[in-house]
Amino acid sequence: MVAGIVPAVILVLRLLRDDLGANPAETLEHSTGFTAIWLLLGSLTATPLRTLTGVAAFTQLRKPLGLWAFAYAVMHIGCYLVFDQSLLWGEILGDIIKRPYITVGFAAFLILLILALTSPGWVVRKLGGRRWKLIHRSVYVAAVLAFFHFLWLVKLDTTRPMLVGITLLVLLVLRVRWITAPFRSAPVIPSNP
Ligand code: HEM
């Protein structure tokens, strides 16, 4: 909750103090995109943290952080649609088709949208655990696409997207069963003892 609200509060405060720099629209677009990608990575740390520590409560972070990531992605795309494209749908479609970084960003967003729509409890029950799990594994595809979106849009200094890429790689490696096998034997500490 805090991780999701704090970046928005900071942005609103900066907006009210007229402190968003020379190009406030660009600052809003960049900050919301940057927050979305890190919240997405945050949601992906939940399972490895549970595996490595045996604390089941970490799993409870996955859904809220994922939904917050989606919320920031919506704000981010909202900035793009309104500020960059003035809601000119032909231009937007052209961008999605012709600019690879927009194409992968759009694909990442579609996956996040599907994951958000299938996150309420009643949808999970309707889909069944196995199907739901299969669908929700695509969060890793969304994160990889978001990484390429970030990497391809940066023109000079790739430090920030590379940091995202390295974090994502570590998180993917930690999902490999045999790598975390020694930790899996540790007892899981339930969230509600
Ligand atoms: C339809 C989908 C999307 C569109 C049209 C879009 C568009 C954009 C645009 C126009 C920029 C600024 C590019 C520049 O100034 O050169 C940007 C930056 C960025 N976007 Fe997206 N984006 C989309 C989806 C996403 C998603 C799903 C994520 C993350 C989950 C994301 C994360 C980022 C990041 C991290 C940046 C760079 C921010 C920075 O420089 O600090 N975007 N995006």
Side-chain angles (χ1 to χ4, degrees), residues 11 24-33 72-87:
L11 273 180
E26 191 182 275
T27 308
L28 282 176
E29 184 177 73
H30 282 232
S31 320
T32 47
Y72 279 90
V74 170
M75 292 187 243
H76 174 63
I77 289 157
C79 291
Y80 163 81
L81 295 176
V82 175
F83 303 136
D84 284 2
Q85 300 292 9
S86 311
L87 297 177

Side-chain angles (χ1 to χ4, degrees), residues 14-193:
R14 286 181 63 192
L15 187 70
L16 293 175
R17 286 167 43 200
D18 201 11
D19 182 29
L20 286 175
N23 189 340
E26 191 182 275
T27 308
L28 282 176
E29 184 177 73
H30 282 232
S31 320
T32 47
F34 195 65
T35 309
I37 208 164
W38 278 106
L39 285 171
L40 189 59
L41 293 178
S43 80
L44 296 183
T45 58
T47 305
L49 276 177
R50 175 193 184 275
T51 310
L52 296 176
T53 63
V55 179
F58 279 121
T59 329
Q60 290 167 15
L61 293 173
R62 196 170 48 199
K63 186 168 157 181
L65 286 175
L67 287 174
W68 275 111
F70 173 68
Y72 279 90
V74 170
M75 292 187 243
H76 174 63
I77 289 157
C79 291
Y80 163 81
L81 295 176
V82 175
F83 303 136
D84 284 2
Q85 300 292 9
S86 311
L87 297 177
L88 296 170
W89 301 103
E91 302 284 323
I92 294 161
L93 196 67
D95 245 10
I96 293 173
I97 294 167
K98 287 191 204 127
R99 299 171 83 180
Y101 89 88
I102 297 283
T103 315
V104 292
F106 181 64
F109 179 70
L110 283 185
I111 295 176
L112 292 182
L113 176 67
I114 292 168
L115 299 183
L117 291 175
T118 53
S119 71
W122 67 271
V123 184
V124 181
R125 282 190 293 279
K126 208 157 186 165
L127 283 170
R130 270 189 60 196
R131 215 179 313 163
W132 182 85
K133 221 171 170 177
L134 206 69
I135 295 171
H136 277 250
R137 287 228 170 104
S138 62
V139 67
Y140 288 97
V141 180
V144 170
L145 292 170
F147 159 67
F148 280 108
H149 170 68
F150 195 4
L151 184 69
W152 289 344
L153 70 86
V154 168
K155 279 142 202 125
L156 295 169
D157 185 3
T158 55
T159 313
R160 289 184 319 135
M162 287 321 281
L163 249 162
V164 167
I166 291 165
T167 309
L168 181 57
L169 192 66
V170 171
L171 291 171
L172 283 170
V173 167
L174 287 176
R175 289 311 304 269
V176 180
R177 277 195 162 262
W178 61 265
I179 290 179
T180 52
F183 300 95
R184 282 177 191 274
S185 52
V188 168
I189 302 160
S191 41
N192 296 315

